[in-house]
């Protein structure tokens, strides 16, 4: 059993204070944050009063000098510079504004979010933060110590003197637009003079006020706003987004998976598996230079290197998975998981859950269904008044293509909707769509080149229907002998680039994602990188779902039918077919079947070889009790052949 390292936030403020994050490889690019489509009228003109600018400056100071955000700014600036930091942090502030707006209760809280509504002001705040963290001219003198308290005193006096901020919550039935207009009028009031602060206020300490709600007695209104900004789920999401932002884009799939798993199902460990079986697996994979499928045993666990650690998690399907990470990356994930809250990212897990049915219940249900079928066969006949094709459709598995899941995958054009034309008889005649989408699926068949299949993706295809088509086409293209007898078995799929070299001949080029507009999918580069979909998610999706009553629920991985189109929307879909009937070279992208040697099949073939020779040995000794030498000839020949096979693998590896 792995020793779990507890995830805690008690001392995580120092996770990013060392220089290990700054020593990351510069090639680990930081992905840009996508724009948020929500229209908040950030481009509309706004009257920027002195108090409005003063409040914006205070927000910038608050976020710039926060003791948990500061080290993250330094890491980002060292990787992407000020320009990209300002552009990306502006987008983070937009989401921060949306989250704060939904949790604001009082007029003061609602008005305090108003400076974040303007796009111009978000850029200004982001620029202010970057200038505070990394000044352009290092020799510039520090600002006067009394400036910040003086500005805070003016802001506190303005808030206290404005009666609109002292009103309670609005009623639920009040119009939201009218309420927002009233808040804007309150914010834009600049006729109230701000008195000069007392002399005692000017001596207040300005250091690190950003990460604590200080001056609660001197500036109670500002303290209330700071508490609202820093102590809610909105700030946790902002901190989580910024921590995710500093991770390399190559870890985007791992980040999505870990953030979709409950925090209690994730742990970190530096322990290696030094068992004989694990060392055997490592030796076999090193000799063959291939990743093996070790089912029913777990995969091999690599030995950790110096600056690496291992993150473990329990998948939604119940599988124990792990990945090796650099320690700085693991520190980021620990901080992310420590503050993880329920957010929309939770539903982006692409793995289906197991049915979890018990042996007794499954068999009792099957026996009951069998008895009903045998003794009440009339239930399978055509019901009066129901057409025959409707009665047959009623017997089809309802879990495979439920109507509530037959919706257009995200990323598929709206133009794919197929209108129905009603006739006099009331039968809907479907008009073919003007354009179609196809997923190219490449399989290694009998020829040395790939066998390419076009899988049509229309508005009724969801994940379950899509992978049902994948399994059917794979069986067709693979061939009977390879499908059933080859030790190279399908494990998962890869995003790949193909090249048509001549008529009907397609070659694999490399693992890649398309960037042109001929393919529709989301997210796209540079927002994602390979592996675009985690291999385990692909592997689990390729398994056929079990029926509602599974007789073998206690003996295998029983999976429930998939719902939604979370995987399909991430797969590149081509807007037209790849023409395989001409000799014009062309590049294309799609899915490629990924094969691995199956340990059970290799073991089974070794077992057949040695069992047959042992059987011959026993038969020969039964027929010729004194002829031990001839009886052992087939067995010794089999041992020699198997030994030569494995030694040749080692020799060829050494030559390469």
């Amino acid at each position: 059993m792995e020793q779990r390292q507890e995830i805690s936030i008690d001392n995580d403020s120092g996770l990013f204070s060392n220089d290990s994050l700054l020593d990351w490889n510069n090639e680990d690019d930081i992905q840009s944050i996508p724009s948020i489509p929500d229209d908040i009228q950030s481009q509309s003109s706004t009257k920027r009063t002195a108090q409005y600018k003063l409040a914006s400056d205070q927000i910038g100071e608050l976020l710039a000098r926060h003791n948990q955000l500061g080290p993250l700014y330094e890491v980002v600036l060292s990787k992407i510079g000020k320009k990209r930091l300002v552009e990306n942090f502006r987008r983070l502030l937009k989401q921060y504004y949306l989250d704060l707006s939904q949790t604001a209760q009082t007029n003061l809280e609602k008005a305090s979010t108003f400076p974040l509504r303007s796009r111009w002001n978000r850029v200004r705040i982001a620029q202010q933060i970057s200038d505070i963290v990394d000044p352009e001219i290092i020799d510039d003198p520090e600002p006067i110590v009394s400036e910040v308290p003086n500005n805070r005193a003016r802001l506190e006096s303005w808030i206290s003197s404005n009666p609109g901020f002292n009103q309670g919550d609005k009623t639920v039935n009040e119009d939201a637009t009218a309420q927002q207009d009233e808040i804007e009028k309150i914010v834009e009031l600049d006729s109230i003079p701000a008195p000069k602060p007392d002399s005692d206020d000017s001596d207040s300490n300005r250091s690190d006020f950003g990460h604590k709600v200080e001056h609660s007695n001197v500036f109670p209104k500002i303290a209330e706003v700071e508490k609202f900004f820093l102590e809610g789920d909105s700030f946790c999401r902002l901190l989580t987004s910024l921590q995710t932002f500093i991770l390399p884009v190559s870890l985007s799939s791992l980040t999505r998976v870990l953030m979709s798993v409950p925090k209690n199902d994730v742990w970190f460990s530096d322990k290696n598996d030094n068992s004989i079986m694990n060392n055997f697996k490592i030796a076999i994979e090193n000799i063959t230079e291939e990743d093996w499928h070790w089912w029913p045993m777990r995969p091999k666990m690599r030995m950790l290197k110096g600056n690496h650690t291992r993150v473990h998690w329990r998948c939604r399907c119940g599988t124990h998975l792990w990945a090796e990470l650099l320690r700085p990356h693991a520190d980021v994930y620990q901080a992310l998981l420590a503050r993880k809250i329920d957010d929309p990212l939770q539903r982006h897990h692409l793995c289906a859950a197991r049915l979890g049915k018990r042996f007794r219940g499954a068999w009792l249900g099957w026996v009951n269904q069998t008895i009903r079928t045998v003794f009440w066969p009339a239930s399978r006949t055509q019901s009066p008044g129901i057409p025959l094709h409707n009665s047959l459709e009623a017997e089809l598995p309802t879990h495979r293509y439920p109507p509530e899941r037959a919706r257009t995958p995200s990323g598929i054009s709206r133009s794919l909707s197929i209108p129905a034309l009603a006739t006099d008889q009331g039968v809907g005649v479907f008009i073919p769509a003007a354009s179609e989408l196809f997923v190219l699926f490449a399989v290694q068949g009998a020829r040395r080149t790939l066998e390419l299949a076009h899988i049509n993706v229309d508005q009724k295809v969801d994940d379950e229907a899509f992978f049902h088509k994948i399994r059917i086409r794979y069986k067709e293209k693979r061939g009977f002998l390879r499908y059933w007898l080859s030790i190279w078995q399908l494990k998962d799929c890869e995003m790949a680039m193909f090249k048509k070299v001549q008529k009907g001949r397609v070659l694999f080029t490399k693992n890649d994602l398309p960037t042109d507009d001929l393919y529709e999918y989301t997210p796209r580069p540079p927002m994602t990188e390979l592996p675009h979909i985690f291999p385990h998610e692909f592997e689990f999706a390729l398994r056929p779902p079990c029926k509602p009553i599974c007789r073998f629920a206690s003996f295998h991985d029983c999976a429930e039918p998939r719902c939604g189109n979370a995987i399909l929307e991430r797969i590149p879909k081509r807007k037209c077919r790849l023409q395989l009937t001409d000799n014009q070279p062309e590049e294309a992208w799609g899915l490629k079947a990924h094969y691995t040697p199956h340990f059970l099949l290799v073991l089974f073939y070794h077992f057949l070889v040695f069992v047959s020779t042992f059987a011959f040995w026993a038969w020969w000794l039964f027929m010729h009790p004194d002829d031990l030498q001839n009886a052992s000839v087939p067995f010794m020949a089999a041992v020699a052949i198997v030994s030569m096979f494995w030694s040749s693998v080692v020799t060829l590896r050494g030559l390469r």
Side-chain angles (χ1 to χ4, degrees), residues 605-606 609-610 635-649:
Y605 288 139
H606 281 69
V609 170
F610 290 114
F635 174 76
M636 299 306 298
V639 171
I641 293 174
V642 172
S643 301
M644 290 177 60
F645 168 76
W646 286 106
S647 62
S648 64
V649 172

PDB file of all heavy atoms in Angstrom, residues 605-606 609-610 635-649:
ATOM      1  N   TYR A 605       0.446 -18.321 -25.533  1.00  0.00           N
ATOM      2  CA  TYR A 605       1.159 -18.987 -26.623  1.00  0.00           C
ATOM      3  C   TYR A 605       2.372 -19.750 -26.095  1.00  0.00           C
ATOM      4  O   TYR A 605       2.684 -20.852 -26.581  1.00  0.00           O
ATOM      5  CB  TYR A 605       1.582 -17.967 -27.674  1.00  0.00           C
ATOM      6  CG  TYR A 605       0.420 -17.444 -28.494  1.00  0.00           C
ATOM      7  CD1 TYR A 605       0.317 -16.110 -28.841  1.00  0.00           C
ATOM      8  CD2 TYR A 605      -0.580 -18.296 -28.919  1.00  0.00           C
ATOM      9  CE1 TYR A 605      -0.748 -15.628 -29.584  1.00  0.00           C
ATOM     10  CE2 TYR A 605      -1.649 -17.834 -29.665  1.00  0.00           C
ATOM     11  CZ  TYR A 605      -1.731 -16.502 -29.991  1.00  0.00           C
ATOM     12  OH  TYR A 605      -2.795 -16.050 -30.726  1.00  0.00           O
ATOM     13  N   HIS A 606       3.066 -19.196 -25.104  1.00  0.00           N
ATOM     14  CA  HIS A 606       4.159 -19.943 -24.487  1.00  0.00           C
ATOM     15  C   HIS A 606       3.618 -21.208 -23.807  1.00  0.00           C
ATOM     16  O   HIS A 606       4.241 -22.281 -23.870  1.00  0.00           O
ATOM     17  CB  HIS A 606       4.888 -19.073 -23.465  1.00  0.00           C
ATOM     18  CG  HIS A 606       5.842 -18.103 -24.072  1.00  0.00           C
ATOM     19  ND1 HIS A 606       5.429 -17.022 -24.816  1.00  0.00           N
ATOM     20  CD2 HIS A 606       7.203 -18.035 -24.048  1.00  0.00           C
ATOM     21  CE1 HIS A 606       6.481 -16.333 -25.217  1.00  0.00           C
ATOM     22  NE2 HIS A 606       7.579 -16.931 -24.764  1.00  0.00           N
ATOM     23  N   VAL A 609       2.889 -23.924 -26.389  1.00  0.00           N
ATOM     24  CA  VAL A 609       4.105 -24.564 -26.906  1.00  0.00           C
ATOM     25  C   VAL A 609       4.619 -25.602 -25.926  1.00  0.00           C
ATOM     26  O   VAL A 609       4.896 -26.766 -26.285  1.00  0.00           O
ATOM     27  CB  VAL A 609       5.179 -23.503 -27.202  1.00  0.00           C
ATOM     28  CG1 VAL A 609       6.517 -24.171 -27.503  1.00  0.00           C
ATOM     29  CG2 VAL A 609       4.759 -22.632 -28.367  1.00  0.00           C
ATOM     30  N   PHE A 610       4.719 -25.214 -24.666  1.00  0.00           N
ATOM     31  CA  PHE A 610       5.312 -26.131 -23.692  1.00  0.00           C
ATOM     32  C   PHE A 610       4.342 -27.236 -23.281  1.00  0.00           C
ATOM     33  O   PHE A 610       4.756 -28.367 -23.021  1.00  0.00           O
ATOM     34  CB  PHE A 610       5.785 -25.350 -22.468  1.00  0.00           C
ATOM     35  CG  PHE A 610       6.976 -24.488 -22.733  1.00  0.00           C
ATOM     36  CD1 PHE A 610       6.886 -23.111 -22.665  1.00  0.00           C
ATOM     37  CD2 PHE A 610       8.197 -25.054 -23.079  1.00  0.00           C
ATOM     38  CE1 PHE A 610       7.981 -22.314 -22.915  1.00  0.00           C
ATOM     39  CE2 PHE A 610       9.303 -24.264 -23.335  1.00  0.00           C
ATOM     40  CZ  PHE A 610       9.200 -22.883 -23.257  1.00  0.00           C
ATOM     41  N   PHE A 635      10.385 -31.069 -26.471  1.00  0.00           N
ATOM     42  CA  PHE A 635      10.439 -30.078 -25.395  1.00  0.00           C
ATOM     43  C   PHE A 635      11.729 -29.262 -25.458  1.00  0.00           C
ATOM     44  O   PHE A 635      11.707 -28.029 -25.328  1.00  0.00           O
ATOM     45  CB  PHE A 635      10.317 -30.784 -24.052  1.00  0.00           C
ATOM     46  CG  PHE A 635      10.495 -29.859 -22.879  1.00  0.00           C
ATOM     47  CD1 PHE A 635       9.481 -28.988 -22.498  1.00  0.00           C
ATOM     48  CD2 PHE A 635      11.684 -29.833 -22.165  1.00  0.00           C
ATOM     49  CE1 PHE A 635       9.647 -28.129 -21.433  1.00  0.00           C
ATOM     50  CE2 PHE A 635      11.855 -28.969 -21.098  1.00  0.00           C
ATOM     51  CZ  PHE A 635      10.832 -28.113 -20.732  1.00  0.00           C
ATOM     52  N   MET A 636      12.870 -29.930 -25.658  1.00  0.00           N
ATOM     53  CA  MET A 636      14.145 -29.219 -25.729  1.00  0.00           C
ATOM     54  C   MET A 636      14.200 -28.317 -26.967  1.00  0.00           C
ATOM     55  O   MET A 636      14.786 -27.223 -26.921  1.00  0.00           O
ATOM     56  CB  MET A 636      15.300 -30.230 -25.752  1.00  0.00           C
ATOM     57  CG  MET A 636      15.376 -31.106 -24.510  1.00  0.00           C
ATOM     58  SD  MET A 636      15.434 -30.139 -22.976  1.00  0.00           S
ATOM     59  CE  MET A 636      16.955 -29.235 -23.225  1.00  0.00           C
ATOM     60  N   ALA A 637      13.593 -28.767 -28.060  1.00  0.00           N
ATOM     61  CA  ALA A 637      13.555 -27.921 -29.255  1.00  0.00           C
ATOM     62  C   ALA A 637      12.725 -26.668 -29.002  1.00  0.00           C
ATOM     63  O   ALA A 637      13.085 -25.559 -29.434  1.00  0.00           O
ATOM     64  CB  ALA A 637      12.988 -28.713 -30.433  1.00  0.00           C
ATOM     65  N   ALA A 638      11.589 -26.838 -28.292  1.00  0.00           N
ATOM     66  CA  ALA A 638      10.758 -25.669 -27.967  1.00  0.00           C
ATOM     67  C   ALA A 638      11.505 -24.698 -27.064  1.00  0.00           C
ATOM     68  O   ALA A 638      11.437 -23.475 -27.249  1.00  0.00           O
ATOM     69  CB  ALA A 638       9.457 -26.133 -27.310  1.00  0.00           C
ATOM     70  N   VAL A 639      12.229 -25.233 -26.086  1.00  0.00           N
ATOM     71  CA  VAL A 639      13.015 -24.368 -25.203  1.00  0.00           C
ATOM     72  C   VAL A 639      14.065 -23.608 -26.004  1.00  0.00           C
ATOM     73  O   VAL A 639      14.290 -22.401 -25.791  1.00  0.00           O
ATOM     74  CB  VAL A 639      13.675 -25.204 -24.086  1.00  0.00           C
ATOM     75  CG1 VAL A 639      14.675 -24.363 -23.297  1.00  0.00           C
ATOM     76  CG2 VAL A 639      12.611 -25.776 -23.158  1.00  0.00           C
ATOM     77  N   ALA A 640      14.723 -24.273 -26.934  1.00  0.00           N
ATOM     78  CA  ALA A 640      15.757 -23.625 -27.744  1.00  0.00           C
ATOM     79  C   ALA A 640      15.154 -22.530 -28.618  1.00  0.00           C
ATOM     80  O   ALA A 640      15.723 -21.436 -28.757  1.00  0.00           O
ATOM     81  CB  ALA A 640      16.475 -24.663 -28.599  1.00  0.00           C
ATOM     82  N   ILE A 641      14.001 -22.807 -29.221  1.00  0.00           N
ATOM     83  CA  ILE A 641      13.380 -21.814 -30.105  1.00  0.00           C
ATOM     84  C   ILE A 641      12.935 -20.588 -29.318  1.00  0.00           C
ATOM     85  O   ILE A 641      13.166 -19.442 -29.737  1.00  0.00           O
ATOM     86  CB  ILE A 641      12.195 -22.455 -30.851  1.00  0.00           C
ATOM     87  CG1 ILE A 641      12.701 -23.526 -31.835  1.00  0.00           C
ATOM     88  CG2 ILE A 641      11.395 -21.382 -31.599  1.00  0.00           C
ATOM     89  CD1 ILE A 641      11.586 -24.306 -32.500  1.00  0.00           C
ATOM     90  N   VAL A 642      12.289 -20.807 -28.168  1.00  0.00           N
ATOM     91  CA  VAL A 642      11.844 -19.682 -27.350  1.00  0.00           C
ATOM     92  C   VAL A 642      13.037 -18.871 -26.856  1.00  0.00           C
ATOM     93  O   VAL A 642      13.017 -17.630 -26.836  1.00  0.00           O
ATOM     94  CB  VAL A 642      10.980 -20.183 -26.180  1.00  0.00           C
ATOM     95  CG1 VAL A 642      10.685 -19.043 -25.207  1.00  0.00           C
ATOM     96  CG2 VAL A 642       9.688 -20.786 -26.695  1.00  0.00           C
ATOM     97  N   SER A 643      14.112 -19.553 -26.461  1.00  0.00           N
ATOM     98  CA  SER A 643      15.312 -18.844 -25.996  1.00  0.00           C
ATOM     99  C   SER A 643      15.931 -18.018 -27.113  1.00  0.00           C
ATOM    100  O   SER A 643      16.369 -16.879 -26.898  1.00  0.00           O
ATOM    101  CB  SER A 643      16.324 -19.855 -25.454  1.00  0.00           C
ATOM    102  OG  SER A 643      15.776 -20.590 -24.383  1.00  0.00           O
ATOM    103  N   MET A 644      15.976 -18.589 -28.327  1.00  0.00           N
ATOM    104  CA  MET A 644      16.519 -17.839 -29.460  1.00  0.00           C
ATOM    105  C   MET A 644      15.653 -16.622 -29.773  1.00  0.00           C
ATOM    106  O   MET A 644      16.177 -15.563 -30.145  1.00  0.00           O
ATOM    107  CB  MET A 644      16.616 -18.754 -30.689  1.00  0.00           C
ATOM    108  CG  MET A 644      17.683 -19.839 -30.588  1.00  0.00           C
ATOM    109  SD  MET A 644      17.688 -20.934 -32.024  1.00  0.00           S
ATOM    110  CE  MET A 644      18.014 -19.765 -33.338  1.00  0.00           C
ATOM    111  N   PHE A 645      14.344 -16.785 -29.627  1.00  0.00           N
ATOM    112  CA  PHE A 645      13.456 -15.648 -29.895  1.00  0.00           C
ATOM    113  C   PHE A 645      13.756 -14.484 -28.957  1.00  0.00           C
ATOM    114  O   PHE A 645      13.953 -13.343 -29.404  1.00  0.00           O
ATOM    115  CB  PHE A 645      11.998 -16.095 -29.744  1.00  0.00           C
ATOM    116  CG  PHE A 645      11.016 -14.956 -29.722  1.00  0.00           C
ATOM    117  CD1 PHE A 645      10.674 -14.287 -30.888  1.00  0.00           C
ATOM    118  CD2 PHE A 645      10.440 -14.537 -28.524  1.00  0.00           C
ATOM    119  CE1 PHE A 645       9.778 -13.233 -30.862  1.00  0.00           C
ATOM    120  CE2 PHE A 645       9.541 -13.484 -28.491  1.00  0.00           C
ATOM    121  CZ  PHE A 645       9.204 -12.824 -29.663  1.00  0.00           C
ATOM    122  N   TRP A 646      13.806 -14.737 -27.659  1.00  0.00           N
ATOM    123  CA  TRP A 646      14.035 -13.648 -26.710  1.00  0.00           C
ATOM    124  C   TRP A 646      15.461 -13.112 -26.786  1.00  0.00           C
ATOM    125  O   TRP A 646      15.688 -11.915 -26.603  1.00  0.00           O
ATOM    126  CB  TRP A 646      13.723 -14.116 -25.288  1.00  0.00           C
ATOM    127  CG  TRP A 646      12.249 -14.238 -25.042  1.00  0.00           C
ATOM    128  CD1 TRP A 646      11.513 -15.383 -24.951  1.00  0.00           C
ATOM    129  CD2 TRP A 646      11.326 -13.159 -24.891  1.00  0.00           C
ATOM    130  NE1 TRP A 646      10.189 -15.097 -24.759  1.00  0.00           N
ATOM    131  CE2 TRP A 646      10.037 -13.728 -24.706  1.00  0.00           C
ATOM    132  CE3 TRP A 646      11.442 -11.783 -24.889  1.00  0.00           C
ATOM    133  CZ2 TRP A 646       8.904 -12.961 -24.521  1.00  0.00           C
ATOM    134  CZ3 TRP A 646      10.308 -11.015 -24.701  1.00  0.00           C
ATOM    135  CH2 TRP A 646       9.058 -11.597 -24.518  1.00  0.00           C
ATOM    136  N   SER A 647      16.423 -13.973 -27.080  1.00  0.00           N
ATOM    137  CA  SER A 647      17.799 -13.484 -27.227  1.00  0.00           C
ATOM    138  C   SER A 647      17.949 -12.616 -28.471  1.00  0.00           C
ATOM    139  O   SER A 647      18.717 -11.646 -28.478  1.00  0.00           O
ATOM    140  CB  SER A 647      18.769 -14.667 -27.291  1.00  0.00           C
ATOM    141  OG  SER A 647      18.488 -15.488 -28.418  1.00  0.00           O
ATOM    142  N   SER A 648      17.205 -12.963 -29.542  1.00  0.00           N
ATOM    143  CA  SER A 648      17.268 -12.126 -30.742  1.00  0.00           C
ATOM    144  C   SER A 648      16.666 -10.754 -30.481  1.00  0.00           C
ATOM    145  O   SER A 648      17.134  -9.744 -31.026  1.00  0.00           O
ATOM    146  CB  SER A 648      16.527 -12.812 -31.892  1.00  0.00           C
ATOM    147  OG  SER A 648      15.141 -12.953 -31.594  1.00  0.00           O
ATOM    148  N   VAL A 649      15.622 -10.702 -29.634  1.00  0.00           N
ATOM    149  CA  VAL A 649      15.049  -9.404 -29.285  1.00  0.00           C
ATOM    150  C   VAL A 649      16.087  -8.539 -28.586  1.00  0.00           C
ATOM    151  O   VAL A 649      16.247  -7.346 -28.884  1.00  0.00           O
ATOM    152  CB  VAL A 649      13.802  -9.601 -28.397  1.00  0.00           C
ATOM    153  CG1 VAL A 649      13.309  -8.257 -27.870  1.00  0.00           C
ATOM    154  CG2 VAL A 649      12.698 -10.298 -29.176  1.00  0.00           C
TER     155      VAL A 649
END
